[in-house]
Amino acid sequence: MNAIPQIQLHPGTSWQDELKQLVSDSNELFELLELDRSYLPAAKQAEKLFPLRLTRSYLSRIKKGDINDPLLKQVLPLAEENEAQANYVDDPLQERAFNPLPGLVHKYHNRVLLITTSSCAINCRYCFRRNFAYSENRLGQSQWQAILDYLKDHDEVDEVIFSGGEPLLLTNEQIQQRLEQLAAIPQLHRVRFHSRLPIVLPSRIDQNFCATLNSTRLQCLVVVHCNHKQEIDAYVAAAFSALSRAGITCLNQAVLLRGVNDSAKSQIELNHSLFKNKVLPYYLHVLDKVRGGAHFDIELSDARIIYEKMRARLPGYLLPKLVKDEPGQTAKTPL
Ligand code: SF4
């Protein structure tokens, strides 16, 4: 494998150091981005429900003074989050009904999802797990062993998804250890990492991480979550390049969000930009109806109009599948 270039915003600083410097205070966010302070009281109120959190790397891509910046909108707590909305609930995908063990969600026949960590490096205001019971799903040693036993008893499962929280907050050593234990279960073939860190903390994609994913018999994929072309700066491009040069398949899932990326133009630019960086479009999700996220939602009829325009302009391999996650279904529902 070729050497991987430095992806650090501040050379000499590790990704763990960057994590210690998250922005988690609205006052600081408003000051750094020179935002209109009339929005500050509402932000303070909304962050009581779901804390403000973002990396300084992500912050560096937000345009100062622009309250409508598409990246800022994904992280800025707003007054709307406190308004009760019918049909917007704590657990829109009813994951509790498919949660046989702490840290394990088994919804689809042949794949299971693991809640590998209980936090993220960014808090996306529209996140369908913003109200998730992470405290009931912590993966200590005994819970992890119970999951391994569950997998041994369920030979229909051939794929494990490391989700979260943020799975890449695990150290490379922890990932290596978990992969070794999973690789000892014969029917497992693939491990997917659903991660936003390549976007919000690109320095996390280091040489050891790539080597770890290549050290197992299991086929490892990284599914990133990128919603807007502006999220891809030179550091993110370097992270994608590192994954690509290590031979790791990288896919993207985005969420269609009002005021962020709800136009065919924005979606087309995003998918061109991803492909330029060797990332293949996978899913475009409509919003899961989570409490506090209603202001990001768009009508399904509008989503379909945007998607038809995308279909007319993008080659098939750059067109993500427009899907909705519906509780109780055996797979995502194409729209
Ligand atoms: S990174 Fe993913 S899991 Fe974490 S808050 Fe954002 S959408 Fe939710």
Side-chain angles (χ1 to χ4, degrees):
M1 189 168 56
N2 296 332
I4 290 170
Q6 289 287 309
I7 313 172
Q8 289 157 334
L9 191 56
H10 306 291
T13 311
S14 70
W15 64 270
Q16 289 96 338
D17 291 335
E18 284 189 56
L19 270 182
K20 289 180 197 145
Q21 295 162 13
L22 297 180
V23 177
S24 56
D25 173 59
S26 304
N27 284 313
E28 189 185 11
L29 180 77
F30 274 67
E31 201 175 304
L32 289 170
L33 290 176
E34 299 167 12
L35 297 173
D36 177 350
R37 294 185 79 81
S38 66
Y39 289 88
L40 186 55
K44 287 187 154 304
Q45 196 61 27
E47 67 178 305
K48 286 183 192 159
L49 292 176
F50 186 44
L52 168 78
R53 181 175 295 174
L54 67 154
T55 61
R56 285 174 200 267
S57 167
Y58 196 76
L59 181 122
S60 72
R61 292 166 242 160
I62 297 174
K63 192 170 158 216
K64 282 188 179 172
D66 184 1
I67 202 78
N68 290 315
D69 181 280
L71 276 56
L72 176 66
K73 284 196 150 189
Q74 296 178 56
V75 295
L76 180 66
L78 288 178
E80 288 91 322
E81 294 178 36
N82 291 317
E83 294 168 10
Q85 300 276 354
N87 303 325
Y88 290 82
V89 297
D90 280 350
D91 181 14
L93 305 187
Q94 294 175 17
E95 290 188 310
R96 275 176 184 271
F98 303 93
N99 192 195
L101 292 173
L104 179 97
V105 178
H106 191 178
K107 254 189 345 180
Y108 301 146
H109 178 72
N110 71 318
R111 48 225 191 261
V112 297
L113 185 143
L114 305 187
I115 305 294
T116 43
T117 65
S118 55
S119 62
C120 297
I122 184 170
N123 278 349
C124 311
R125 308 311 296 177
Y126 53 85
C127 178
F128 70 91
R129 291 205 186 109
R130 57 176 281 161
N131 310 308
F132 189 79
Y134 282 114
S135 57
E136 296 166 21
N137 281 280
R138 289 197 196 285
L139 271 194
Q141 195 51 44
S142 61
Q143 290 83 359
W144 177 249
Q145 187 55 51
I147 286 173
L148 293 173
D149 293 341
Y150 181 95
L151 292 171
K152 285 174 198 158
D153 287 344
H154 285 75
D155 58 9
E156 76 278 17
V157 176
D158 64 2
E159 179 164 359
V160 172
I161 299 169
F162 279 31
S163 183
E166 171 53 70
L168 298 196
L169 291 181
L170 297 172
T171 64
N172 292 332
E173 293 71 27
Q174 288 171 319
I175 292 172
Q176 172 93 44
Q177 191 186 31
R178 283 160 179 66
L179 288 176
E180 281 170 10
Q181 289 167 314
L182 292 174
I185 301 175
Q187 91 272 5
L188 293 180
H189 296 305
R190 292 174 303 284
V191 174
R192 242 192 274 170
F193 291 82
H194 280 190
S195 174
R196 194 136 156 77
L197 278 205
I199 310 299
V200 305
L201 192 70
S203 56
R204 173 65 186 92
I205 306 303
D206 56 22
Q207 193 152 11
N208 284 341
F209 172 70
C210 296
T212 302
L213 267 52
N214 277 327
S215 68
T216 167
R217 70 163 184 86
L218 299 164
Q219 196 172 5
C220 293
L221 296 85
V222 175
V223 181
V224 301
H225 171 182
C226 182
N227 290 321
H228 197 281
K229 180 180 113 171
Q230 191 181 316
E231 291 181 330
I232 306 173
D233 68 359
Y235 298 98
V236 175
F240 288 155
S241 170
L243 290 165
S244 164
R245 287 190 297 133
I248 296 161
T249 301
C250 199
L251 308 173
N252 183 57
Q253 49 184 350
V255 186
L256 194 54
L257 299 166
R258 175 178 297 284
V260 173
N261 59 9
D262 57 336
S263 72
K265 180 174 179 292
S266 176
Q267 290 294 328
I268 289 165
E269 287 176 352
L270 170 64
N271 288 299
H272 277 302
S273 190
L274 287 165
F275 187 64
K276 203 168 139 192
N277 287 288
K278 311 271 194 310
V279 180
L280 288 170
Y282 178 33
Y283 281 138
L284 176 58
H285 296 262
V286 295
L287 189 85
D288 299 312
K289 294 188 181 301
V290 68
R291 180 171 59 87
H295 54 292
F296 286 108
D297 209 357
I298 70 170
E299 295 290 337
L300 278 187
S301 54
D302 291 336
R304 288 195 173 101
I305 290 169
I306 292 168
Y307 195 65
E308 279 313 308
K309 288 182 185 164
M310 290 167 65
R311 192 202 298 278
R313 294 272 306 278
L314 286 168
Y317 60 91
L318 290 191
L319 188 69
K321 294 185 194 80
L322 180 67
V323 291
K324 184 175 163 54
D325 219 326
E326 291 182 307
Q329 295 301 311
T330 53
K332 298 200 189 328
T333 308
L335 291 173

